[in-house]
Amino acid sequence: MALYDNLFEPIKVGPITIPNRIVRSAHGTHLGGEDLIAYHEARARGGVGMSTLEATGVHESSKTHLPLYSDAILPFYEQISSRVHKHGMKLFAQAYHTGASGAGTPDTWSVSGVPNPMIQIMPFVMTKTQIDDIVAAFGKAARRIRDGGLDGIDIHASSGYLIHEFLSPALNKRDDEYGGSRENRMRFLMEVIAAVRAEVGSDIAVGVRLPNEDYVPGGLDAAENAAIAEILDPHVDYVSLHMGAYWRFHKLIAPADDPLGVEMKPNNVITKVVTKPTIVVGRIMTIDHASSLVASGEADMVSMVRALIADPEMPNKARRLEEHTIRPCIGTNMGCVGQLMTRGVISCVVNVAAAREAHVTHDPAGKTDQPKKLLIVGGGPAGLEAARTAAMRGHKVVLHEAMRRLGGQVALAADAPHRADVGTITRWLSDEIDTLGVEVHLNSMVDAEMVAEIAPDEVIIATGTTPRYDGFQVSTPSVPIAGWDLPHVHNSWEMFGVGGQVDIKGPAVVFDDTGTFEGISVADVLLKAGVHVTMVSRMEQLGQNVPFPPVTVGAARERLMSADFDFVGGHYVRKITPDAVEIGVLFTDRVRTIPAKTVVLVSFNEPNRDLANELSARFSNVKVHMIGDVKGGNSMMTAIHEAAALARVI
C-alpha cells in the first residue's frame, strides 16, 4: 500500500458511498448563492470525499440565511448538489435549531430557562406543542435535503444548540417526559430521528453530530456521550463528534494554543462503542495525521475543515504524494472564524481565495506576457508571498532580507511558547520560493546604491516595522512614559531574543498598548522564566483587538489565568521606577503601584519607510510599492493578502 492510500478507500455510509475518508463537517460561512457554491466546488475539485453545508435552521423560530424551513431552498440545493457531484464529492446538509443561542428571532426557544452566556437572552421554555412543531420541522427539512439532490442530513445535536440543550443535564431543567433521566433527555432527539426516517427512510444518509465533551459545568462528558451514542447507534448511519459549547467557546474551534488532535482523547471513549462509521475533528491539520487516525482505527473519516480552507487541493496533492506543496493552516482562527464573526464573511489568513473562489483563483492564473525584474526588500510574510506569486507568474525575482533568516516578525512570534504553528506558513513560503528559483540574499541591508546596481523594473518594499525607543503610548501621545529608558525596561523583540538574552527578574509587568497576541506571547515568555507577571493594558480585555477573542484568545486567556498572572485592563502607565510601575485610568487621579523588576512595553512599532521614501524621491523611472506592516498595520493576514493582490497585477 502506498503512503496515504488508506485515506482514499471508499466507505459505505447508509445508502451512499463516500469516495474517500477526507471530509468536511459543517461550519459557518455566511456565504450564499454562487459564492457558496464556488466555495464548496473548489473543495470538491480538490478531491474532498464529502462536505456538509453549514448549520441551517429547520424552523422559522431559528431562521438562518439558508431557508431550510421552506421549499424555497430547493433550487439552490439542486444547483449546488449538481455542481459538486460532477467532481465525485458527496454533499450533506446540517439541520439544527439554535435554541437559547438564537439571537435576532422574535422569540428564543429553548429546553429550559437557561440563557446562553454569549447571547444574553432569557429564552422561552418550549411547550409540548412547540416541541412537536420542531420535531415535524426536522422531518420536512430532511425531505427538502433529499429532494434538493443532497446525499445526507447531519442532525446537529452538539455545540450547545437546541438538541444539545435537551441532552444536557446542566441545561435541561424540565420535569416532564423530556427532562430528568437519560431516556427522557434523549426523547427529543429520538423523536427527531424518527421524524426524519419517516420522511426519507433510507433514501439519504442520516447521521448525528454529538458532543464528546461540552465543557458546560455539570454537563455532558465523554462517558455520558458514549452512553448516548450507543443508544443512537442502531438508528443512524454515522456519528460525528465535536467538542465544546458556548460556555467554553474556543473549544468549538480549537486554536493553535491547543495540541494537534486535541479532541481525540474523549473521541476514543465514544468511538469504541459505536458500530457505524465515525467522523472526528479537532486540529487535524496534516495529511499524515489524518492517515494515522484512520490506520489506527480511531476514526473512519477525518474532518479537516480549516486545513481545507487553507488549501482546497490538499487531497489531490496527497494522492500525488506532493504533500510538501500543501499550503498549511496556521490555526490562529483569525481569518476563518475571526473574520466571520467580526466582518460577517469567512476568510483565511494564508489563502487569499478562501470564500472568494467565484472571483479569485487559489494560485495566480497563468504567466505574464511582460516578465519583469522585481526587487523585493523584506522576507517576512508579505515579501515571501509577493515573491512566490510573482515568480509563479514568470517574473525574475530578487529578494533581500536584513535578518539572518526569512520569516520576519512571524519567525519571532513562532519562537514564543504555544505559537510555533504560525511559523509553518513562512517556512512553506520559503520552500516555495526556493523551488521557484527566487534569488534570496540574507543579512543584506538594501540602500539606494544597491537598488541602482540591481536595476529592477519595480521594487516591492516589505520591510515591516521595528520597535520604537521613545516611551510612546497611545493614551499620552505627547508625553513619553517617564522611566522608559531604565535598564530593566524592554520591548517585545528583546524578549524573543533579538539583541541577546534578557536578564529576567521577577516580578514583571507587561504594558500592552496594542491588544494583540504580541503582549500575550511576551507574558508566556516571562511565565516560562518563572516570574510573576502582571499585564496592564489600555484595553479592557486581554487580546481585545484580535478578531473575535472568544475563539482566538480564549485558550490563551485560560492558560495565563491558570498561571502566576494578573491582568489589569483599562489603564495606562504613569511612570516607571527602578522597582515599580505606576498606572492609572486616564482623566482620573488615582494611582496604583505594581512592583516590577522587569518591565516590557508592547506598543506600536515604527514602520520602516526610509528606503521607500528615498527610492520614490530618487528614481522616477522605477515604480515603488509598499505592502504589509510597513504601511502601518499589524496583521499577517493583511500582509499576505496585499502581497498576493499586488503580485498578481504587476
Side-chain angles (χ1 to χ4, degrees):
M1 178 182 287
L3 195 63
Y4 312 134
D5 272 2
N6 64 335
L7 291 177
F8 298 102
E9 295 176 357
I11 182 169
K12 184 81 169 171
V13 179
I16 68 164
T17 299
I18 297 175
N20 64 62
R21 309 304 179 92
I22 302 171
V23 302
R24 304 183 80 236
S25 49
H27 63 286
T29 66
H30 290 186
L31 298 174
E34 178 59 27
D35 287 340
L36 183 58
I37 294 171
Y39 172 77
H40 284 286
E41 187 176 20
R43 278 81 202 163
R45 191 183 304 113
V48 173
M50 180 273 282
S51 282
T52 307
L53 296 178
E54 57 208 75
T56 309
V58 301
H59 191 268
E60 289 194 352
S61 61
S62 176
K63 284 187 175 180
T64 50
H65 72 285
L66 296 175
L68 187 47
Y69 48 84
S70 166
D71 286 350
I73 201 170
L74 290 174
F76 172 75
Y77 274 177
E78 291 165 359
Q79 186 178 10
I80 191 171
S81 60
S82 65
R83 289 270 289 274
V84 303
H85 284 159
K86 289 189 303 182
H87 306 284
M89 186 177 81
K90 301 300 182 182
L91 188 65
F92 290 17
Q94 186 173 78
Y96 85 146
H97 189 289
T98 52
S101 69
T105 55
D107 298 325
T108 300
W109 295 1
S110 182
V111 60
S112 302
V114 179
N116 183 296
M118 292 177 62
I119 306 301
Q120 313 258 0
I121 295 174
M122 180 59 77
F124 288 84
V125 178
M126 293 174 67
T127 66
K128 180 63 168 69
T129 298
Q130 290 169 334
I131 290 173
D132 292 343
D133 285 347
I134 300 303
V135 168
F138 270 97
K140 294 173 184 175
R143 186 258 302 165
R144 294 183 185 108
I145 289 168
R146 179 198 62 193
D147 293 351
L150 275 63
D151 304 289
I153 178 173
D154 188 77
I155 299 170
H156 197 1
S158 182
S159 307
Y161 298 115
L162 183 62
I163 297 177
H164 184 160
E165 291 168 1
F166 272 86
L167 294 175
S168 170
L171 304 179
N172 186 336
K173 307 295 186 181
R174 302 180 76 96
D175 57 7
D176 61 6
E177 68 269 34
Y178 291 95
S181 67
R182 181 186 300 144
E183 180 184 6
N184 282 359
R185 287 183 281 112
M186 289 187 65
R187 190 180 306 279
F188 178 58
L189 175 55
M190 298 302 289
E191 289 178 353
V192 165
I193 294 171
V196 167
R197 288 294 191 192
E199 286 278 356
V200 300
S202 295
D203 296 341
I204 59 175
V206 176
V208 63
R209 189 172 215 193
L210 290 176
N212 45 41
E213 295 267 7
D214 68 6
Y215 291 109
V216 181
L220 296 166
D221 61 13
E224 177 63 18
N225 290 320
I228 291 171
E230 193 168 16
I231 294 169
L232 291 175
D233 190 39
H235 304 279
V236 296
D237 297 320
Y238 70 90
V239 173
S240 174
L241 298 174
H242 188 217
M243 180 177 286
Y246 281 66
W247 275 254
R248 200 180 186 194
F249 195 75
H250 68 87
K251 286 297 183 184
L252 289 170
I253 314 104
D257 308 72
D258 282 330
L260 296 174
V262 62
E263 301 191 25
M264 290 313 300
K265 183 177 180 180
N267 284 343
N268 290 338
V269 175
I270 301 166
T271 55
K272 69 181 181 182
V273 304
V274 176
T275 66
K276 300 295 175 58
T278 56
I279 301 173
V280 298
V281 301
R283 291 223 344 113
I284 303 164
M285 296 298 187
T286 63
I287 206 72
D288 58 326
H289 189 190
S291 179
S292 70
L293 291 175
V294 173
S296 67
E298 294 177 85
D300 297 299
M301 292 168 280
V302 178
S303 174
M304 305 180 73
V305 171
R306 285 175 291 173
L308 287 158
I309 293 174
D311 195 337
E313 289 288 325
M314 173 189 277
N316 286 344
K317 290 178 178 179
R319 195 187 287 268
R320 298 193 300 264
L321 302 183
E322 297 174 358
E323 64 271 26
H324 60 284
T325 68
I326 297 170
R327 186 188 287 261
C329 169
I330 60 174
T332 65
N333 289 340
M334 293 185 191
C336 45
V337 190
Q339 295 299 308
L340 180 72
M341 302 304 293
T342 58
R343 299 180 59 192
V345 63
I346 193 172
S347 187
C348 178
V349 170
V350 302
N351 176 12
V352 300
R356 302 170 63 204
E357 289 83 3
H359 317 281
V360 177
T361 56
H362 179 63
D363 283 327
K367 301 276 189 178
T368 179
D369 55 4
Q370 295 181 315
K372 296 179 178 180
K373 184 177 184 180
L374 303 181
L375 168 62
I376 298 176
V377 186
L384 291 170
E385 180 63 43
R388 175 183 182 269
T389 302
M392 291 180 75
R393 295 188 61 234
H395 295 296
K396 177 176 174 53
V397 182
V398 180
L399 185 148
H400 285 252
E401 164 57 42
M403 304 292 283
R404 69 181 185 276
R405 60 175 176 170
L406 296 171
Q409 292 190 60
V410 170
L412 292 180
D415 287 342
H418 312 286
R419 300 291 286 165
D421 279 16
V422 300
T424 58
I425 184 59
T426 49
R427 290 195 296 273
W428 180 80
L429 287 168
S430 299
D431 291 342
E432 286 280 292
I433 66 171
D434 181 59
T435 300
L436 290 164
V438 172
E439 182 182 325
V440 176
H441 300 266
L442 300 177
N443 286 316
S444 179
M445 294 293 295
V446 175
D447 56 21
E449 285 67 33
M450 182 183 291
V451 174
E453 182 180 336
I454 295 171
D457 296 306
E458 299 189 29
V459 180
I460 299 175
I461 305 294
T463 45
T465 65
T466 50
R468 53 196 301 166
Y469 294 87
D470 58 1
F472 174 81
Q473 66 176 333
V474 171
S475 297
T476 59
S478 63
V479 181
I481 298 171
W484 70 268
D485 52 352
L486 290 171
H488 69 301
V489 181
H490 306 280
N491 61 55
S492 62
W493 284 27
E494 291 169 330
M495 303 310 297
F496 300 145
V498 176
Q501 288 293 112
V502 172
D503 182 19
I504 298 174
K505 297 178 180 178
V509 168
V510 179
F511 175 63
D512 178 19
D513 208 19
T514 66
T516 65
F517 245 99
E518 191 173 352
I520 292 170
S521 291
V522 168
D524 278 326
V525 170
L526 292 166
L527 289 168
K528 187 177 181 181
V531 301
H532 174 78
V533 178
T534 301
M535 179 180 286
V536 179
S537 178
R538 68 182 173 91
M539 268 63 67
E540 299 290 344
Q541 300 176 36
L542 185 69
Q544 182 170 308
N545 290 334
V546 177
F548 199 58
V551 78
T552 50
V553 180
R557 179 182 178 278
E558 288 182 6
R559 179 177 68 249
L560 294 179
M561 293 300 184
S562 298
D564 194 9
F565 174 86
D566 293 305
F567 177 77
V568 181
H571 283 67
Y572 74 107
V573 177
R574 297 173 63 104
K575 181 172 66 174
I576 302 171
T577 68
D579 58 4
V581 176
E582 293 184 2
I583 65 172
V585 175
L586 206 62
F587 308 116
T588 66
D589 295 328
R590 182 188 175 198
V591 178
R592 298 179 63 181
T593 301
I594 303 174
K597 293 294 185 182
T598 302
V599 180
V600 185
L601 301 179
V602 181
S603 188
F604 285 83
N605 287 355
E606 191 70 42
N608 300 317
R609 297 172 182 160
D610 290 349
L611 179 62
N613 294 336
E614 183 181 5
L615 296 181
S616 296
R618 180 167 172 177
F619 298 107
S620 58
N621 62 329
V622 177
K623 186 175 287 188
V624 178
H625 310 271
M626 287 193 294
I627 56 173
D629 287 1
V630 71
K631 295 175 69 175
N634 183 17
S635 164
M636 190 195 320
M637 179 171 170
T638 299
I640 290 174
H641 285 230
E642 283 183 355
L646 173 64
R648 290 185 185 211
V649 298
I650 292 179

